[in-house]
Amino acid sequence: MNFITSLLSNLNYGTIFFLMMLESTVVPVPSEFVVTPAAYHAASGQLDVWLVILFATIGADLGATINYVVALYVGRPVIYRFANSRWGKMCLLNQEKVEKSERYFDEHGIVATLTGRLIPGIRHLISIPAGLARMNYWKFLLYTTIGAGAWHSILAALGWYLHAIVPEEQLNDKIGEYAEYIKIGIIAVVLLALAYFAVKSYMGKRGKGKS
């Protein structure tokens, strides 16, 4: 973890890409403490905020692809075995968390790949059930990119905003405070989106039944 801490204290496009790749696999890297500080520095001219979002999203895509490919080829038993292993526990992983992401995917279908990228505890694992279900890779990548890009844009907007009101030594405390409000807001938005897709699907099936 000292290695991660060292990278967090030296944010550039390369470390942003690498850390977000790790976050999208099974390594517990908090994206709010990567993208938000990077955007904070971008507001002072040290980085470009659009490149911060771009490199964070490409990193997330690569990490999600790794999870997808591993799940696709090794299957559920090996995934569960790793989740329950000592290495899995070091990554704050367990079988219950994997099963939770699978249930979310099963309940909401392929749109879960998009909305799941916004939900804490699901975000970095949603690519595993997508791989297990053999979801079309290009559709998976598109939804992952949209979801990850939206999440990183929200974090970047927060960092840009905090630059105007918070000194750097108070930044991490404020990120933790604001991140809780953002998570609650995002969960509410995701629930509304899922309700919309559910109603739309129901109405579509009902229309076909009448015809």
Side-chain angles (χ1 to χ4, degrees):
M1 288 302 170
N2 288 336
F3 173 63
I4 301 294
T5 303
S6 173
L7 292 179
L8 287 170
S9 64
N10 183 34
L11 289 174
N12 54 52
Y13 302 126
T15 54
I16 292 166
F17 166 84
F18 182 68
L19 288 168
M20 289 301 89
M21 180 195 70
L22 292 181
E23 193 254 359
S24 279
T25 54
V26 294
V27 181
V29 177
S31 53
E32 56 267 36
F33 290 100
V34 178
V35 179
T36 309
Y40 183 96
H41 295 146
S44 64
Q46 298 177 46
L47 295 168
D48 183 292
V49 70
W50 298 109
L51 291 180
V52 167
I53 296 170
L54 177 64
F55 278 93
T57 302
I58 294 173
D61 281 346
L62 179 57
T65 295
I66 292 171
N67 273 6
Y68 172 93
V69 170
V70 169
L72 180 68
Y73 287 105
V74 306
R76 188 174 283 102
V78 177
I79 295 290
Y80 284 177
R81 199 174 305 130
F82 173 78
N84 292 323
S85 70
R86 182 167 63 91
W87 291 103
K89 287 179 173 56
M90 287 176 63
C91 294
L92 306 181
L93 195 62
N94 56 48
Q95 183 173 328
E96 183 181 352
K97 290 181 178 180
V98 178
E99 289 176 340
K100 180 181 177 182
S101 68
E102 288 189 81
R103 286 194 299 272
Y104 184 85
F105 186 88
D106 291 341
E107 289 170 5
H108 304 297
I110 59 175
V111 72
T113 312
L114 192 161
T115 57
R117 295 295 312 183
L118 302 172
I119 300 178
I122 296 288
R123 180 168 54 249
H124 65 301
L125 297 177
I126 196 62
S127 48
I128 292 176
L132 292 174
R134 298 184 175 274
M135 178 181 177
N136 177 273
Y137 173 72
W138 297 109
K139 189 173 289 187
F140 162 79
L141 184 61
L142 173 63
Y143 285 3
T144 298
T145 301
I146 294 171
W151 173 240
H152 296 146
S153 296
I154 292 168
L155 295 180
L158 174 62
W160 194 275
Y161 166 73
L162 290 177
H163 183 267
I165 63 169
V166 175
E168 188 164 1
E169 60 270 17
Q170 298 177 17
L171 180 59
N172 284 345
D173 290 337
K174 282 295 179 183
I175 289 173
E177 179 184 327
Y178 278 84
E180 289 304 312
Y181 295 118
I182 289 174
K183 287 174 184 176
I184 293 170
I186 285 176
I187 289 172
V189 170
V190 167
L191 289 175
L192 287 172
L194 291 174
Y196 166 79
F197 284 117
V199 170
K200 185 177 179 182
S201 175
Y202 172 76
M203 295 302 290
K205 290 177 181 177
R206 189 177 178 184
K208 288 181 181 178
K210 287 183 177 180
S211 62

